[in-house]
Amino acid sequence: MSQLLPHWNYLAVITLMMIGLYIAISRGNLVKKIMGINVFQTSVILLYVSMGKIEGGTAPILIEGRDGVIYTNPLPHVLMLTAIVVGVASTAVGLALVVRIKEAYGTVEEDEIVALDRQEDEREMSGEAP
């Protein structure tokens, strides 16, 4: 256990990743699926930021007269800012689709939507009018 304590951030990443994956797979509600994907995405962002941090590292600003300074690479942090923006945008699109699905089917439960689609397909195959 003492070996895992210094790496608590990786334990948090794994925990969040598994929680997000479980929510996205096990729930039939489309809004809950989007929330699970967001939790999963948060864990990936935490992983990249954790890997980008260097113990004792400073911002990459060059100062004259200071030798042997350890700098932290800012690239993972900048990439995760972009990932956050893309994640917010994709969440907005997903929620907009859920609203449209709710208007069309009257529900956001996946199994009910599939059942309604099957009923409609069966009616079309039998030649009945909608």
Side-chain angles (χ1 to χ4, degrees):
M1 187 64 172
S2 63
Q3 294 173 348
L4 295 177
L5 197 55
H7 303 291
W8 65 269
N9 52 340
Y10 296 113
L11 293 173
V13 165
I14 292 169
T15 304
L16 281 175
M17 201 172 272
M18 292 302 106
I19 289 171
L21 184 64
Y22 175 75
I23 292 170
I25 291 174
S26 69
R27 303 295 180 218
N29 188 314
L30 298 178
V31 176
K32 289 180 183 177
K33 284 185 180 287
I34 291 173
M35 289 173 55
I37 291 169
N38 282 337
V39 171
F40 191 90
Q41 177 194 10
T42 302
S43 70
V44 172
I45 291 170
L46 180 61
L47 174 68
Y48 272 85
V49 171
S50 294
M51 289 189 315
K53 174 68 177 123
I54 296 176
E55 191 74 32
T58 63
I61 300 171
L62 298 177
I63 301 173
E64 290 185 34
R66 293 193 57 190
D67 295 329
V69 178
I70 299 173
Y71 296 110
T72 299
N73 187 359
L75 188 62
H77 299 81
V78 172
L79 289 174
M80 290 307 102
L81 283 174
T82 305
I84 290 168
V85 171
V86 170
V88 168
S90 61
T91 300
V93 170
L95 290 173
L97 287 171
V98 169
V99 168
R100 182 65 186 105
I101 289 169
K102 172 73 171 164
E103 290 173 356
Y105 290 97
T107 184
V108 292
E109 295 295 329
E110 186 178 16
D111 55 348
E112 293 175 13
I113 294 168
V114 170
L116 290 170
D117 271 344
R118 284 191 180 144
Q119 288 174 358
E120 186 176 329
D121 288 345
E122 289 172 0
R123 273 186 277 163
E124 288 177 4
M125 294 298 263
S126 66
E128 295 178 18

